[in-house]
Each structure stands twice: as structure tokens, then as C-alpha cells.
Amino acid sequence: MKFVDEVRIQVKAGDGGHGAVSFRREKYIDRGGPNGGDGGNGGSVIFQADPQLTTLLDYRYQQHHRAKNGEGGMGNDCNGRSAEDLLLRVPVGTLIRDENTGEVLADLNDPGQKVVVCKGGRGGLGNMNFATSTRQTPRFAQDGTPGEERTLRLELKLLADVGLLGFPNAGKSTLISIVSRARPKIANYPFTTLVPNLGLVQYKDGLSFVMADIPGLIEGASEGVGLGHQFLRHVERCKVLIHLLDMGTETEDRDPLRDFDTLNGELRKYSEELSHKPQVVALNKLDLPHALERQDPVTRELQRRGIAVFPISCATGLGMQPLLDAVAEVLFTGRTDKLHVEPPPAPRAEKKAAAKKAPVKKAPVKKAPAKKAPVKKAPVKKAPVKKVAAKKAPAKKAPVKKVAAKKAPAKKAPVKKAAAKKAPARKTAARSAAGKASGAARRRRA
Ligand SMILES: Nc1nc2c(ncn2[C@@H]2O[C@H](COP(=O)(O)OP(=O)(O)OP(=O)(O)O)[C@@H](O)[C@H]2O)c(=O)[nH]1
Ligand SMILES: [Mg+2]
């Protein structure tokens, strides 16, 4: 079956039926009154995740989906029938977006999950609802409301736990065919895989996980080179990625380390979040002699960056168990210890040792004159000491003297001044007393 993972469709919910305007007309019943019924509700458009489906192919062929309108109200107090909802089944993992606004309306991740995307219109009220004591013949009814209409973009993002990444021909399809029952096409030419494949890997102790094999990526995939990078959407939900490096490639323009950096660059261009997902780096095709020759330098370089590598061969089954163990550990425990290694200390230690040794050798040569220098400096140092002492001595004396000199008169002065001030005060008193006495004597004389 053709794999379709993106479609654009138009959906419209049913309109509500109009309310009816009707009056009871019966023999011998005069002025029977209004009896127009309500309109029925329009059907809504509902999406449901169906685990039986794997592709959006059906929606490629039929792009317009309309739910039925509600039935109009009728006379004789009859309400119209509400329309049934339109149920659209999509594969689990379908993302429903509004094409015009880009808003994500729903992400159907769970089997059976349902979501109403367009609500049906409400039926209008018939004229019997509008009869009152003062308005006994309402000749109007309410119209039904129109159902919602939308243009949607459906995107299928496969629900895999582990995603396989690698250049074309790296052996991704071979790996998934070994560890699961998936049987994708495998051939010795690039872009054998054109659509993603899923495989269920039965791990130990009844644990299992889903692995997704996607078409190979090449440099410039973000600009549409090769099959582009739209298939990366299918590994967006993966919890861990296996990055397969083709160690057996014999073309000159390809190099495992350069491939590794290129692919990570493309990942970053697609989504920063995806590029930060844990990666299990596996060196594939290590059954080939020229691949073995490359193993050491590639391993060393990646370990220098702190990345653990898993040597494997999909042809012989070498290294499959450690690879699956590492994947399962990240998946089931969330620990990524196995994916990182301590960068080998040897080259750094050597560099540091070399860096340390160099100045050690030079040091004694420089120290010789350095020793003389302090000898010369000694008198220089003494001089300021003396100066300081010399300066300090008078400095200490000076303020003491000054303070004493200043304080002595300062203390005396106010005393003297006070006495001086007080003295005249006493004199004036004496004078005034004398004045008074002489005045009294003069008066007595007179
Ligand atoms: N010698 C050897 N050949 C391998 C190994 N793994 C894969 N191959 C071969 O490599 C070729 C490509 O393998 P595929 O599994 O189709 O590679 P792919 O990564 O799925 O390639 P695309 O689908 O084009 O992206 C096939 O001829 C495989 O037989 C391996 O471990 N050793
Ligand atoms: Mg393939």
C-alpha cells in the first residue's frame, strides 16, 4: 500500500435544520395555535485514531468531507431529526492542523482517541416556542446555525520509540530486518527505502519497542536534496535515535566522521529539539576489512568528543546485543550513561605534561638572574623601610607636639578668656556698687 503521510482536506459540519412556522388547522378547532417544530442539529466532524490504519492514503483520494445537515422542523409539533456525526478514521499518530492558521487542533496519539474538529450547527426553534399570551400567532421561527467549515492538514508522525538515522546505504533497513520482523527492501544502492518502515523489536523479559527505519539523509536534505528531510517527522517522537555510520563506503567523498557531522548538521537545521535527542552511534559493516581499518581512528575521534561507539555488523550480527542494551537502557530507564564516555585522558595528559615540562626546564635558567635581582633589590627595599621609619618618626612626633602645643594654649586660652571675661563682669559689678554707694553719700550730703 502506498504510504502517504501528509494530506490537505476540507471538512464541513452539517448545518442545523430551520425551525418550522406552522399552525394547527383542524375541523372544529378554531385558532389551533402555533405548532411548528424545531430543526435538528447538524452532524459534527469527528476524527478517530484507528490502530488498523497505517497511511493517510484514503484522504489523498477523497479530500472533501461533509457531515449531514439537521432536518428542518415540521408542523404538527414535529421536530426535525438531528444528523449523525461524520467519523473520519486516521492512523494513530496523526496530527491535525488548521491549514489557514497553522494551529494544531489535535494530536491523536492513543488508539481510539476521538476529537471533534468541526461542530455541527444547532437546529432552530419552531414557532411554537415563541407563542406567548400576548403573541399567540408567531409567524416566525428560528433558523438553524451553519456548521463549522475548515481546511485541515493531516500529518502522520509515526509512533516509534527508536529511530534509525544514517546516510543512504548505511544499512538501516538491514538492521531493522535483523532485530525485528520488518522486511523492508534492502539493496546495494542509495535510496532503496522510500517510505518509513516500522518494526517491533522483542527485547528481553517481554519488553519490546518500535523501531522506525526512514529513508537516508544526505547533505542538503534540508534544502530538499535527495528525498529531503520531511521523513524526519517520523522520528520526531522517538525517544532515542540510532545513528548508523557506514564504515564500508569506498567512495572518496564519503568519510564516516564527515557523514556524522553532516547528518547532525541536517538534524539541527530540521529541528533543534530533534538534534538534542539521545543518539546511539553505531559503526556498521565492520565485517569488511577496509571498514575495520577505519574503526580505530573513527572510534578515537568520537571518544575524544565523549561519544561512545558501538561496533556492529548487520551482515554477521556482531555487536547487536550491546547496541540493543544501550537503546533499551535509554528507552526504559532514561539513563544515557552508556552513550557517553570519558574522553581518553592520554592525549590531554601528554599535552599537559608537555606544557608543564617546558617551563620546568626553562625555570632554572631564568631563576639564576632572578636570584640576583632580589640581592640588588634588597637595598632598594631597605631604603624605603628607612624612609618610612624616618618619615614615621617625625610624623609621629610632629602631631604629638602640635597637638600638645595646640592643646595647651587652647585649654589655657578659654580659661584666661573666661577669667578675663569674668573679671570685667566683676569689675562692672564693683563699679556699679561703688557708683551706688557714692550716689547715696552724695544724697546724704545734700
Ligand atoms: N558487508 C556488509 N554489508 C552490509 C551491512 N549492512 C548492510 N549491508 C549492505 O549495505 C547495502 C545497503 O543496505 P540497506 O539496509 O539497504 O541500507 P539503507 O541504509 O537502508 O539504505 P537506504 O534505504 O538507501 O537509505 C545492502 O547491500 C546491504 O546488504 C554489513 O554489516 N556488512
Ligand atoms: Mg533502507
Side-chain angles (χ1 to χ4, degrees):
M1 192 193 282
K2 203 174 163 195
F3 181 82
V4 176
D5 61 350
E6 199 172 37
V7 287
R8 188 172 154 273
I9 58 168
Q10 278 192 329
V11 289
K12 165 132 183 29
D15 299 337
H18 300 318
V21 178
S22 161
F23 293 94
R24 188 173 175 197
R25 292 273 181 272
E26 244 177 88
K27 200 176 179 184
Y28 308 121
I29 295 180
D30 190 19
R31 299 180 190 178
N35 68 350
D38 303 341
N41 295 330
S44 299
V45 179
I46 299 176
F47 280 89
Q48 184 175 29
D50 186 346
Q52 303 286 322
L53 296 177
T54 52
T55 163
L56 294 169
L57 183 67
D58 297 347
Y59 297 96
R60 177 62 55 87
Y61 296 128
Q62 194 189 345
Q63 293 164 0
H64 295 267
H65 301 266
R66 276 186 80 111
K68 286 193 173 146
N69 295 339
E71 213 178 345
M74 289 159 282
N76 220 5
D77 295 341
C78 289
N79 292 338
R81 183 193 291 267
S82 289
E84 275 186 13
D85 294 334
L86 176 68
L87 194 68
L88 299 175
R89 294 177 199 281
V90 287
V92 179
T94 302
L95 198 77
I96 303 169
R97 275 180 201 280
D98 189 307
E99 171 82 350
N100 301 322
T101 62
E103 180 196 355
V104 176
L105 302 175
D107 191 358
L108 300 173
N109 279 336
D110 302 317
Q113 193 183 345
K114 276 185 180 178
V115 63
V116 178
V117 170
C118 287
K119 243 181 140 324
R122 202 167 44 81
L125 298 173
N127 71 338
M128 64 180 180
N129 296 280
F130 301 105
T132 61
S133 58
T134 53
R135 190 173 56 195
Q136 294 186 1
T137 52
R139 294 179 195 284
F140 62 89
Q142 197 181 30
D143 283 348
T145 57
E148 289 176 337
E149 190 171 0
R150 271 187 161 135
T151 305
L152 302 175
R153 177 165 293 277
L154 307 185
E155 290 173 23
L156 176 58
K157 291 187 179 186
L158 295 180
L159 293 180
D161 303 305
V162 184
L164 284 175
L165 289 179
F167 263 62
N169 244 12
K172 302 178 293 298
S173 305
T174 318
L175 176 63
I176 201 171
S177 70
I178 285 183
V179 296
S180 76
R181 288 195 181 180
R183 293 288 170 265
K185 189 174 170 188
I186 297 169
N188 196 12
Y189 59 84
F191 299 115
T192 320
T193 305
L194 297 172
V195 293
N197 298 298
L198 292 183
L200 184 72
V201 182
Q202 301 283 359
Y203 187 62
K204 291 182 226 168
D205 310 327
L207 293 172
S208 60
F209 54 83
V210 178
M211 191 181 269
D213 164 32
I214 61 164
L217 292 166
I218 54 172
E219 188 168 7
S222 52
E223 282 98 47
V225 182
L227 291 180
H229 68 180
Q230 75 269 23
F231 288 107
L232 278 176
R233 137 165 21 109
H234 299 293
V235 291
E236 256 180 65
R237 299 188 203 243
C238 294
K239 293 191 189 90
V240 53
L241 303 171
I242 298 180
H243 192 145
L244 270 193
L245 289 181
D246 185 356
M247 302 293 285
T249 177
E250 283 174 311
T251 45
E252 278 185 9
D253 59 324
R254 294 274 304 278
D255 167 69
L257 281 172
R258 205 181 322 134
D259 288 358
F260 180 75
D261 293 333
T262 307
L263 211 143
N264 277 327
E266 292 297 330
L267 271 191
R268 233 170 288 127
K269 280 184 202 164
Y270 177 78
S271 142
E272 199 64 33
E273 193 194 340
L274 189 60
S275 67
H276 291 308
K277 284 209 189 272
Q279 281 188 12
V280 183
V281 181
L283 311 183
N284 191 24
K285 305 194 184 178
L286 288 183
D287 53 300
L288 300 173
H290 60 276
L292 276 172
E293 281 169 22
R294 288 177 181 170
Q295 185 186 354
D296 272 352
V298 173
T299 307
R300 232 178 294 130
E301 171 55 24
L302 289 175
Q303 281 181 345
R304 198 184 59 75
R305 301 184 196 178
I307 302 167
V309 290
F310 294 83
I312 61 165
S313 164
C314 296
T316 62
L318 165 93
M320 283 299 143
Q321 200 53 48
L323 178 75
L324 291 183
D325 288 345
V327 168
E329 187 175 292
V330 181
L331 209 54
F332 300 121
T333 67
R335 287 206 306 267
T336 54
D337 312 349
K338 284 189 179 167
L339 312 189
H340 305 292
V341 285
E342 276 291 308
R348 287 191 180 179
E350 275 172 26
K351 275 181 192 172
K352 277 183 185 172
K356 277 178 187 172
K357 275 175 191 171
V360 167
K361 279 175 188 171
K362 284 171 190 173
V365 182
K366 279 182 181 175
K367 270 178 187 173
K371 275 175 189 171
K372 284 171 190 171
V375 175
K376 282 175 189 173
K377 277 175 189 171
V380 180
K381 275 179 186 173
K382 277 174 190 171
V385 171
K386 278 177 187 173
K387 276 175 192 172
V388 170
K391 278 176 189 171
K392 275 180 185 173
K396 277 177 188 172
K397 282 170 191 173
V400 170
K401 278 176 186 173
K402 277 174 191 173
V403 171
K406 277 175 190 173
K407 275 179 185 173
K411 278 176 187 172
K412 281 169 190 173
V415 172
K416 279 175 188 174
K417 275 174 191 173
K421 276 176 188 172
K422 279 173 187 173
R426 279 173 198 159
K427 277 175 189 174
T428 49
R431 271 177 208 160
S432 62
K436 279 176 189 172
S438 61
R442 266 179 237 139
R443 265 177 248 134
R444 267 181 230 143
R445 274 176 222 158

